[in-house]
Amino acid sequence: MSTETIYQALYVQSRGALQRATNENTNGLLRQYFPKSSDLSAHSADDLNWVAAELNDRPRKRLGFKKPIEQIRPLLLR
């Protein structure tokens, strides 16, 4: 096993705990739209895209309770 492979494995494992909280939060948000054990194949792609847009348009504490588009818009308009 090369040093690079070991480094990549350690890097991925070390971020696992950080990703778990985000994953659980996202699951909770999705359950507001889709109850646990619901069949997502019963929903159209448009329905799923609408939910994704709703979740992506939420204000974020990390962004000072601004929406992501509000933060990135000035960068895009440069």
Side-chain angles (χ1 to χ4, degrees), residues 8-76:
Q8 288 176 345
L10 291 175
Y11 181 74
V12 170
Q13 291 172 357
S14 69
R15 290 189 46 90
L18 296 174
Q19 293 170 347
R20 191 172 306 123
T22 300
N23 187 356
E24 291 301 321
N25 182 51
T26 303
N27 287 344
L29 294 172
L30 286 170
R31 285 190 192 113
Q32 293 176 5
Y33 298 93
F34 309 109
K36 196 171 187 176
S37 302
S38 65
D39 182 10
L40 294 181
S41 67
H43 301 280
S44 70
D46 287 338
D47 293 338
L48 299 176
N49 286 333
W50 179 81
V51 170
E54 286 286 307
L55 292 177
N56 289 330
D57 197 40
R58 296 178 73 231
R60 306 289 200 280
K61 180 179 180 180
R62 182 180 190 116
L63 301 176
F65 296 99
K66 292 182 181 179
K67 296 178 181 184
I69 192 64
E70 294 171 338
Q71 286 292 108
I72 200 168
R73 183 176 287 131
L75 299 173
L76 295 174

